[in-house]
Amino acid sequence: MRTQVAIIGAGPSGLLLSHLLAADGVESVVLETRSEEYVAGRIRAGILEQSTVDLLREVGLGERLDREGDPHRGIYLQWPDERHHLDFVDLTGRSVYVYGQTEVQKDLVAASHARGQEVHYEITDTALHDLETDRPSVTFTDRDGVEQRLQADVVVGCDGSFGPSREAVPQAVRRTWEKTYPYSWLGILADVAPSTDELIYAWHPDGFAMHSMRSASVSRLYLQVPNETSIDDWSDDRIWEALATRLGHGQDGWQLTPGPVTDKSVLPMRSFVQQPMRHGRLFLAGDAAHIVPPTGAKGLNLAVADVALLAPALVGLLRKDDHGLADAYSDTALRRVWRCTHFSWWMTTMLHTSGDPFDEQLQLSQLRWVTSSEAGATGLAENYAGLPIGF
C-alpha cells in the first residue's frame, strides 16, 4: 500500500486532517484500531471555540453545526450565594458553540464517505518504521487478519495518549511534562432539558460542579470527586442531590431539574505535554502530544488547531517542496498548547477545592476579581472563546 500521508487515528483530528489535505489535493490513508461505530459514539467534549467553528464553516463542515449547534455568549461563575454571568461577546466579540464531539465526528465521517476517503478500522499491531528517512511506513494487521504495510511520505499520529505514535519519538529526543490532579470528574448524561441557558461553573466547599448541555433535551453535568472513586458508589439519587447542593438549587429561585441518567463515568484529571511534536517524518497532533483537564474546554479545540496548522505545512512540504511551515510546526503549535495548558490549569485550580482553608480563600478572592474586574473577565473570555489558530 502507498499514500502520501499515513494518518493514525480516525477521531476528529485524524479525519479533519484528511479532509483538509484532500481539499488541497494531498492523498491520505487513515488507520484506526477501533470500529467506526465506537469512535463515533465516544462521549467527549461539547464546546467549540469561535476559531474552530470558523474553520469548520470555511471547509464545508458547518451546515449541520449552524442548524443544530447552540451558540452561547458566555458562562456563569458561581459560589455559594453568588452567580455572575461573563458575556464573551461583549468582552471580546467572540462566542462559543455547544456542539458535541460526537456531532463533529458524524459530520467528519459523512464527509469522509462522500469523498471516498480510505479508512481502515479495527486494525491491530500498529507499528511505525523508518521515521528518520523520506520513506516512512506503518505496519498493521487488518480486520481480516492480513498483515499490511502502508508506505508514505509522512506519518501523522492522531492516535491519542495510548497510541503508538507518541512512543515512536525516541526517548533521547522527547521531553515530557505531566501533572496529575488530586481529583476526578464524575460525569453524567441525562435525558432532561438543561436547567440553565448557559454553562454554570460552580465553586462549592463540597467540591466543584458544572452544568453543561448537549442539546435542548440532553444535559451534561459533572461533580468533583476523589481519585479512585467507584461509579458504583454513586447512585443516581446521590448524584442529583450533590449537584443540587453544589449548583445552588433554590438560590434566587433557581431550580435544578433531574432526569433519567443515560451515561455515567469517572474522568481523571491531568495535564501532559510532549515536545517536539515532530520527529523526522512523524508529526503529532491532538492528544498524542498533549492533554488538558476539561475545565477550560480546550482538548478538542487544541486538536483542531494542531491540524489546521499541520495541513498547510504538509501541503507545502509534499506539493511544493517547501519545508518552512513543516519545520516550524512543532514550535508554532506548542505556543498555543502551552497557553491553553496554562488556562486549563488556572480554571481547574480556581474552581476545585483541596480541603485547605487558605486555598479556599484564595480561590474565592480570585473568583471575585474575575467577576468584578473587566480586565480579569476579558482575560478569561479571551482564552475560553479561543485565541486565533495561528497564535
Side-chain angles (χ1 to χ4, degrees):
M1 300 170 63
R2 182 79 176 86
T3 191
Q4 289 178 285
V5 181
I7 301 173
I8 305 175
S13 56
L15 287 187
L16 179 58
L17 179 60
S18 70
H19 184 88
L20 298 177
L21 292 175
D24 277 316
V26 173
E27 179 189 72
S28 66
V29 172
V30 183
L31 307 175
E32 171 59 52
T33 59
R34 302 289 192 170
S35 69
E36 182 176 309
E37 294 73 23
Y38 179 91
V39 177
R42 286 186 294 205
I43 299 170
R44 294 289 189 270
I47 303 296
L48 302 184
E49 294 178 1
Q50 184 71 60
S51 296
T52 297
V53 172
D54 292 344
L55 176 67
L56 294 175
R57 287 171 174 162
E58 180 184 333
V59 300
L61 294 169
E63 180 181 353
R64 200 164 67 90
L65 188 160
D66 284 331
R67 187 172 66 249
E68 301 179 17
D70 186 10
H72 280 208
R73 292 182 63 95
I75 61 171
Y76 294 100
L77 285 180
Q78 176 183 303
W79 58 97
D81 301 320
E82 297 212 33
R83 180 180 292 172
H84 299 267
H85 185 251
L86 301 187
D87 192 306
F88 299 162
V89 178
D90 286 348
L91 291 163
T92 68
R94 297 163 71 80
S95 61
V96 296
Y97 276 66
V98 173
Y99 193 68
Q101 179 172 317
T102 52
E103 305 308 312
V104 174
Q105 185 71 15
K106 288 176 188 176
D107 297 337
L108 288 165
V109 168
S112 170
H113 289 323
R115 69 175 181 273
Q117 175 69 46
E118 186 175 351
V119 184
H120 295 265
Y121 289 98
E122 300 179 75
I123 67 168
T124 56
D125 305 319
T126 309
L128 290 68
H129 309 274
D130 303 320
L131 299 174
E132 297 178 5
T133 75
D134 59 3
R135 287 292 182 269
S137 64
V138 182
T139 56
F140 62 96
T141 303
D142 66 23
R143 71 175 77 188
D144 296 321
V146 179
E147 294 182 1
Q148 303 279 4
R149 179 178 291 271
L150 175 62
Q151 295 183 322
D153 299 309
V154 165
V155 177
V156 180
C158 298
D159 48 344
S161 57
F162 298 109
S165 298
R166 177 191 291 179
E167 294 298 320
V169 179
Q171 185 71 42
V173 173
R174 67 179 187 255
R175 295 187 65 193
T176 61
W177 294 262
E178 185 168 12
K179 178 178 180 62
T180 300
Y181 296 86
Y183 33 71
S184 300
W185 274 12
L186 190 161
I188 65 167
L189 274 177
D191 282 341
V192 61
S195 302
T196 178
D197 59 333
E198 296 190 329
L199 277 69
I200 301 172
Y201 285 78
W203 182 98
H204 191 275
D206 292 350
F208 168 77
M210 178 177 173
H211 190 326
S212 183
M213 62 281 290
R214 286 296 179 266
S215 71
S217 60
V218 177
S219 295
R220 182 73 162 148
L221 302 105
Y222 300 96
L223 289 167
Q224 176 186 341
V225 294
N227 287 341
E228 311 303 330
T229 290
S230 170
I231 202 71
D232 296 334
D233 295 335
W234 284 81
S235 67
D236 292 0
D237 287 344
R238 183 185 178 191
I239 291 170
W240 285 114
E241 182 179 352
L243 286 167
T245 298
R246 299 185 196 184
L247 291 169
H249 180 86
Q251 181 177 311
D252 295 328
W254 181 80
Q255 302 288 317
L256 175 67
T257 303
V261 175
T262 60
D263 183 83
K264 276 193 257 188
S265 60
V266 174
L267 173 67
M269 308 278 280
R270 66 187 181 115
S271 298
F272 175 91
V273 179
Q274 176 171 306
Q275 65 182 61
M277 292 173 62
R278 177 193 181 179
H279 175 68
R281 286 297 180 106
L282 169 66
F283 296 79
L284 302 179
D287 285 0
H290 44 74
I291 297 167
V292 291
T295 324
K298 290 286 154 267
L300 173 59
N301 294 292
L302 262 181
V304 169
D306 286 349
V307 299
L309 292 171
L310 184 55
L314 296 182
V315 171
L317 179 67
L318 299 176
R319 296 196 65 193
K320 305 172 187 177
D321 197 29
D322 181 347
H323 293 240
L325 291 178
D327 290 345
Y329 166 70
S330 181
D331 289 341
T332 304
L334 283 164
R335 283 199 298 272
R336 185 186 179 94
V337 167
W338 277 113
R339 171 88 300 276
C340 292
T341 298
H342 176 266
F343 176 68
S344 300
W345 166 86
W346 180 73
M347 285 283 286
T348 300
T349 55
M350 179 172 64
L351 288 160
H352 290 73
T353 56
S354 66
D356 184 325
F358 183 81
D359 288 347
E360 289 183 1
Q361 292 306 310
L362 292 180
Q363 290 172 318
L364 291 170
S365 176
Q366 190 166 219
L367 285 163
R368 293 187 189 104
W369 171 70
V370 168
T371 54
S372 63
S373 161
E374 184 175 351
T378 301
L380 188 153
E382 180 182 64
N383 283 273
Y384 195 103
L387 300 164
I389 284 179
F391 168 81

